[in-house]
Amino acid sequence: MQVHILGTSSSRPAHGRSVSGSVVNTNKGIIVVDCGEGFQERFVKHNKILKNKNSKYRIKSGKINTILLTHGHLDHTWGLLPLLKTLSLDGREKELTVIAPTLDIIVERILQSDSVAIKVEDIDVANVDIYNQYLQWWSLGGTTEELNYRVNWILVGVDKNDDINKLNAISINPNRGQIEVVNDLSKFTNGIKIVNIPTLHSVPSCGWWIKEPDRRGKFDSEKARRNNLSVEQIKKLVNGEKIDGFSPKEFMMESKKNPSVLISGDTAGKNPGFRKFSNTNYETSVLIHEATFLQINKDRAEKYFHSTALEAAKNAKLIGAKQLIITHFSSRIKDTKLLSSEAIEAFERVHAACDSDVIVIEGEEIKINSYP
Ligand SMILES: [Zn+2]
Ligand SMILES: [Zn+2]
């Protein structure tokens, strides 16, 4: 698995840093997490850099299966519709899924009325809530019929106090008015496991935990040979059947743990979701956590539901991540080393991301390739 970080700035581009957007390249295709302004251009530019460096980690937009959004702020969503349009111009045929959070109550009302045209005047819905953006994108041509490839639009109702693994999701086909309950998001990720982690921001938000399924242990043929097993006996063991004196388990080598990444999106440092996540048995190889502010601006961080670098580090420790990557830096901060030196107080393996960084996760090994 590699994570390509295509933007590390919060709110607006600054100091050569672009706004949010990451590409998670898994063994089952690409998942994009957030898609701020200019995302598709950054994708192309990044690939050129990788090509010039003869990197083996180049990425192809045709391999994108799923786009996950963490919340509706425009520095995370403005590049989505142009990307969908370009994929159409590229002649895309295979389906694509967009999954994004909204208020629980919006999902409930859509389900109750069996229509996307619900009344929301009596609830406090932000203009940039993903529900509102979906309506806009559909009216601007973001539909299966206009793009000529199938787009699955999924809304996930979230709340900061949700339990991990609670899923309140629907899939919407806007032109046909079809609305379906979604019970398993991995149907839309080519089998990659994804879990939404409740976060705490000024609009409905969640982080995304993404994991390649662990590989089953191989059959230990050397051990079979030592025990003089016949081809028939080996076949039975491989099929999970017992044979005289041996069980299949005895011949299975240890399963190979595959990598996982958690991308926080925008969140206040102290939030119930990370605490709940730390009580699950989900392991996280790499945590990519926002660190908008330094400790000196911790009041600002609290007021606007963002994190300081130190808070990001505390969350990395809390969930037992192996590596912390901090991102989403305020334009007030020119030198991101200031942030990592604060984070290191609480968590040693920290790296302040640069645009175009490629985080390579292979088994237990994590490498960071930077292209200054
Ligand atoms: Zn943001
Ligand atoms: Zn935000």
Side-chain angles (χ1 to χ4, degrees):
M1 176 189 276
Q2 309 104 47
V3 186
H4 301 246
I5 298 179
L6 302 190
T8 58
S9 192
S10 67
S11 308
R12 63 177 179 130
H15 313 296
R17 307 189 290 251
S18 296
V19 292
S20 290
S22 297
V23 174
V24 183
N25 193 13
T26 75
N27 57 8
K28 291 177 184 286
I30 287 178
I31 296 177
V32 168
V33 182
D34 284 337
C35 205
E37 176 188 350
F39 179 84
Q40 56 170 324
E41 274 184 291
R42 289 184 267 140
F43 192 104
V44 172
K45 195 175 137 207
H46 172 69
N47 239 340
K48 274 194 188 141
I49 295 171
L50 296 181
K51 190 181 174 195
N52 288 339
K53 299 280 177 188
N54 275 330
S55 167
K56 61 176 175 179
Y57 299 118
R58 284 162 66 188
I59 44 178
K60 285 194 182 126
S61 59
K63 293 231 164 117
I64 299 172
N65 292 323
T66 319
I67 300 173
L68 307 176
L69 301 176
T70 59
H71 65 296
H73 282 149
L74 300 184
D75 54 321
H76 298 254
T77 66
W78 195 252
L80 183 113
L81 190 59
L83 172 67
L84 297 190
K85 182 75 184 158
T86 297
L87 293 176
S88 172
L89 293 171
D90 286 346
R92 186 182 176 102
E93 288 177 355
K94 76 172 176 176
E95 67 182 85
L96 184 140
T97 303
V98 181
I99 308 178
T102 184
L103 291 166
D104 267 324
I105 192 167
I106 287 184
V107 171
E108 279 148 28
R109 285 197 184 173
I110 292 174
L111 271 175
Q112 275 162 13
S113 65
D114 202 25
S115 155
V116 287
I118 53 162
K119 284 208 162 65
V120 292
E121 291 80 9
D122 59 320
I123 43 176
D124 191 11
V125 187
N127 288 341
V128 296
D129 188 283
I130 295 284
Y131 165 69
N132 284 329
Q133 292 194 58
Y134 273 16
L135 295 176
Q136 295 294 334
W137 293 335
W138 296 333
S139 76
L140 293 169
T143 59
T144 299
E145 288 72 11
E146 292 200 44
L147 292 167
N148 283 322
Y149 58 90
R150 185 186 159 123
V151 186
N152 304 307
W153 293 97
I154 296 181
L155 276 179
V156 182
V158 297
D159 181 85
K160 63 182 190 297
N161 292 315
D162 281 345
D163 286 328
I164 308 297
N165 279 329
K166 182 209 136 187
L167 184 63
N168 176 27
I170 48 173
S171 146
I172 302 165
N173 183 329
N175 277 7
R176 299 202 183 150
Q178 287 164 333
I179 291 144
E180 280 169 37
V181 172
V182 174
N183 295 313
D184 180 9
L185 291 176
S186 63
K187 267 195 348 204
F188 302 96
T189 55
N190 203 15
I192 295 290
K193 171 117 175 139
I194 58 168
V195 177
N196 56 307
I197 313 300
T199 50
L200 179 55
H201 199 40
S202 50
V203 293
S205 66
C206 65
W208 290 103
W209 182 80
I210 302 166
K211 179 164 174 35
E212 290 177 353
D214 289 336
R215 260 177 278 177
R216 246 183 87 198
K218 282 188 186 152
F219 185 77
D220 192 343
S221 44
E222 183 56 28
K223 188 172 176 180
R225 196 187 55 77
R226 286 199 306 273
N227 285 287
N228 296 319
L229 299 187
S230 69
V231 177
E232 271 317 300
Q233 287 175 309
I234 290 172
K235 265 190 192 160
K236 280 192 173 168
L237 287 170
V238 170
N239 289 333
E241 292 171 45
K242 272 187 176 177
I243 59 165
D244 265 357
F246 296 108
S247 76
K249 258 192 188 164
E250 293 172 66
F251 288 84
M252 281 303 160
M253 298 206 278
E254 228 182 295
S255 66
K256 199 168 165 269
K257 281 209 170 145
N258 267 342
S260 52
V261 61
L262 169 51
I263 300 181
S264 75
D266 291 5
T267 182
K270 280 188 205 136
N271 67 72
F274 270 79
R275 166 97 22 219
K276 285 182 183 168
F277 185 72
S278 73
N279 292 328
T280 67
N281 54 9
Y282 294 137
E283 290 179 7
T284 304
S285 317
V286 173
L287 169 64
I288 298 178
H289 198 296
E290 74 124 290
T292 310
F293 295 113
L294 289 161
Q295 276 305 103
I296 195 171
N297 289 122
K298 84 177 194 311
D299 294 346
R300 244 186 129 72
E302 212 169 301
K303 186 176 170 195
Y304 295 108
F305 302 95
H306 282 299
S307 300
T308 65
L310 182 63
E311 287 170 331
K314 285 181 180 167
N315 279 342
K317 197 173 170 187
L318 178 68
I319 66 161
K322 296 193 175 67
Q323 169 79 53
L324 168 65
I325 308 285
I326 49 173
T327 183
H328 198 269
F329 310 123
S330 160
S331 58
R332 293 157 179 256
I333 298 161
K334 207 168 176 185
D335 182 5
T336 58
K337 280 199 194 78
L338 297 171
L339 290 155
S340 35
S341 59
E342 285 193 354
I344 218 162
E345 298 288 315
F347 191 83
E348 208 160 294
R349 280 192 75 175
V350 57
H351 169 74
C354 301
D355 287 31
S356 256
D357 274 359
V358 181
I359 319 299
V360 181
I361 318 168
E362 280 163 1
E364 298 286 298
E365 206 188 331
I366 299 161
K367 277 185 298 180
I368 300 162
N369 298 343
S370 288
Y371 304 97

